[in-house]
Amino acid sequence: MDKLDNKLVLSELENRFRGSFVVLGEPHGLLTVSVEEDIITDFLVFVKDHPKLRFNYLTDITAVHYPTEEKDFCVVYHVHNMLHNVRLRIKVFIAGPMPTIPSATSLWNGANWMERETYDFFGIVFEGHPDLRRILNMDELDVFPMRKEYPLEDPNRVDKKDFYFGR
């Protein structure tokens, strides 16, 4: 079997998903691709179960909020082939006040808590999740704290005024 590297990963992805994904780069050797939400489940199944790729360890699921973009949320999956120590980052850009994407819990049991955390902080709904509810924040909280919808600091705070610091 060939040693797994980013070139081989790209070759296998091209063979199966030609034109359905975009290579975003390789920062620090970490191959990063973007796929559309309608094929994310097929994409994850492929990279997990393909005999050459075998990215069978889900390291993380998280999200990023880009409030000025048309698709203002990005769900990010980090998967790892532990045999060859190769990682792959998969990004899915989605939009909406309650953005929705299919759950990965049918592929990895560990996705359960990762998706709950992402829902809790970003409000991203993972369709098909067996128990999607808040995991760290209070149930009564009606906002999602990691969204960039509010100023970083309260403009009315007096402890940040220059005159307190002799300026």
Side-chain angles (χ1 to χ4, degrees):
M1 180 176 160
D2 296 332
K3 175 149 175 47
L4 187 65
D5 59 11
N6 290 348
K7 185 177 176 182
L8 180 59
V9 172
L10 277 176
S11 172
E12 294 299 330
L13 291 176
E14 274 293 325
N15 288 341
R16 171 65 174 84
F17 295 100
R18 185 173 312 277
S20 297
F21 72 97
V22 175
V23 176
L24 299 176
E26 284 185 67
H28 307 287
L30 177 59
L31 179 61
T32 305
V33 299
S34 172
V35 301
E36 294 297 321
E37 66 181 285
D38 58 339
I39 67 161
I40 185 58
T41 302
D42 292 339
F43 200 89
L44 291 173
V45 167
F46 180 79
V47 299
K48 180 183 182 206
D49 294 341
H50 189 280
K52 288 184 183 174
L53 302 182
R54 294 174 38 195
F55 287 101
N56 54 12
Y57 182 72
L58 177 66
T59 306
D60 192 26
I61 299 174
T62 190
V64 183
H65 186 205
Y66 299 106
T68 60
E69 301 296 322
E70 182 180 337
K71 290 187 175 185
D72 51 343
F73 291 95
C74 177
V75 179
V76 184
Y77 301 84
H78 288 102
V79 292
H80 187 186
N81 175 312
M82 296 181 73
L83 181 65
H84 295 284
N85 195 27
V86 176
R87 298 173 192 270
L88 174 65
R89 180 183 317 162
I90 304 161
K91 294 184 174 188
V92 182
F93 293 90
I94 55 179
M98 287 302 285
T100 303
I101 191 167
S103 175
T105 54
S106 63
L107 299 171
W108 293 282
N109 289 332
N112 187 321
W113 287 63
M114 296 175 198
E115 290 178 356
R116 283 181 62 191
E117 181 184 45
T118 304
Y119 165 73
D120 194 6
F121 285 101
F122 292 93
I124 294 170
V125 175
F126 291 87
E127 281 187 337
H129 190 282
D131 188 21
L132 192 63
R133 59 188 162 100
R134 291 199 180 267
I135 193 169
L136 295 169
N137 291 304
M138 303 165 297
D139 291 334
E140 307 81 44
L141 190 65
D142 60 352
V143 297
F144 299 102
M146 294 299 288
R147 288 187 178 187
K148 298 175 183 171
E149 298 173 330
Y150 307 101
L152 291 177
E153 290 189 9
D154 181 358
N156 299 316
R157 286 181 62 177
V158 295
D159 62 329
K160 298 281 185 160
K161 302 294 183 191
D162 283 347
F163 65 85
Y164 285 116
F165 299 98
R167 294 181 278 210

